[in-house]
Amino acid sequence: MHFTSEQRLDDGVLEREFTLGEIPGILWTPASASASAPAPLILLGHPGGLRKMYPRLVARARHSAAEGFATATIELPGSGDRPRWPAVEQARADLRRVLEAGEPVSNEIVDALVLPLVDKAVPEWQAALDALLSLPEIGGPVGYSGGVISIGTRLAVVEPRISAAVLFAGSFVPRAMFEEARQVTIPLHVLLQWDDVGNDRQVALDLFDAFGSKEKTLHANMGGHTGVPQFAGEAAARFFTRHLS
């Protein structure tokens, strides 16, 4: 991990941009974090395009820092400034075509779009976690918060260092992820926007039902994809306070 920039935000949060090989990322740590008092860590998932997503990510990071958590995010494969990924670019083009034509999105398009992304992104998140936990001011336990929900699902299955997850239901879900969901056992808090035009509500409900966790909560709110109310975010923060503090 190589830090490329550093700034102190006006609330005392330390923001550091880094690269991990070719992967860019950002780490936010609360002012209270130190080698003698390492902060628990929350990994911030997002749908790609780190610069575009920055305003929402830094808002989540600041809110988490106020609760004593460090947060970190990395860019998804094929997004932002990372090299284009021809197979996924073709799947995105196919998706745009069927959506513009008003046609249903086939399972084949969803699989081609999401599964390669999950296969590549999850090991990158694990490599980032290795590097982040080697920092003296960062400690466990670790949570995951955000989307793409299939990435969060896979991480919850394969990464034992993740103790709890807040998952955002708002992306296409391949059929294979339902079997993986049954293997998830950590506490889950799932956010669902009821009127999200780009999200198949029934698929999101079916995925929630498939999760094998004994403790799982579905927090559904009226509104579109970007209309998550503030109180929903506060409920997610309380979830992490219970499980990571």
Side-chain angles (χ1 to χ4, degrees):
M1 173 179 282
H2 173 64
F3 288 107
T4 58
S5 71
E6 176 180 315
Q7 66 171 328
R8 185 75 65 173
L9 305 182
D10 56 15
D11 53 2
V13 175
L14 179 62
E15 177 184 280
R16 286 174 285 178
E17 296 188 6
F18 65 84
T19 57
L20 189 66
E22 66 169 16
I23 309 166
I26 308 175
L27 169 64
W28 295 273
T29 50
S32 59
S34 66
S36 60
L41 176 66
I42 298 174
L43 304 176
L44 299 182
H46 61 90
L50 197 52
R51 294 303 165 195
K52 180 180 178 181
M53 291 295 301
Y54 175 82
R56 277 186 274 175
L57 290 167
V58 72
R60 290 163 60 191
R62 286 178 144 179
H63 190 89
S64 297
E67 302 295 325
F69 297 112
T71 51
T73 191
I74 58 174
E75 183 62 276
L76 286 181
S79 296
D81 296 329
R82 296 189 65 179
R84 299 299 94 182
W85 197 355
V88 173
E89 289 291 303
Q90 181 59 55
R92 286 174 178 160
D94 292 340
L95 176 63
R96 287 192 297 269
R97 176 180 51 78
V98 298
L99 291 176
E100 290 169 359
E103 300 171 358
V105 180
S106 69
N107 289 324
E108 290 72 23
I109 290 178
V110 173
D111 289 353
L113 179 66
V114 180
L115 289 178
L117 184 62
V118 174
D119 290 342
K120 187 169 178 62
V122 167
E124 292 182 350
W125 272 113
Q126 292 180 292
L129 186 55
D130 290 340
L132 291 162
L133 290 179
S134 72
L135 300 173
E137 69 273 24
I138 305 297
V142 180
Y144 176 87
S145 174
V148 176
I149 196 169
S150 294
I151 292 176
T153 300
R154 173 74 60 80
L155 273 170
V157 173
V158 304
E159 182 45 74
R161 292 172 292 183
I162 294 179
S163 302
V166 173
L167 301 179
F168 297 178
S171 53
F172 293 102
V173 180
R175 294 160 293 180
M177 296 311 303
F178 286 85
E179 184 56 39
E180 294 194 34
R182 295 182 181 95
Q183 302 173 49
V184 175
T185 59
I186 62 173
L188 295 179
H189 184 98
V190 180
L191 295 175
L192 170 63
Q193 287 301 103
W194 203 250
D195 306 306
D196 187 348
V197 176
N199 182 42
D200 188 323
R201 182 195 303 164
Q202 190 58 54
V203 169
L205 294 172
D206 291 343
L207 183 65
F208 177 80
D209 189 49
F211 284 124
S213 303
K214 291 182 178 179
E215 181 185 339
K216 57 180 180 180
T217 301
L218 178 67
H219 197 141
N221 302 284
M222 305 303 291
H225 187 76
T226 59
V228 179
Q230 181 176 343
F231 62 79
E234 292 169 352
R238 290 193 296 271
F239 169 83
F240 278 133
T241 298
R242 288 198 306 274
H243 292 288
L244 301 184
S245 295

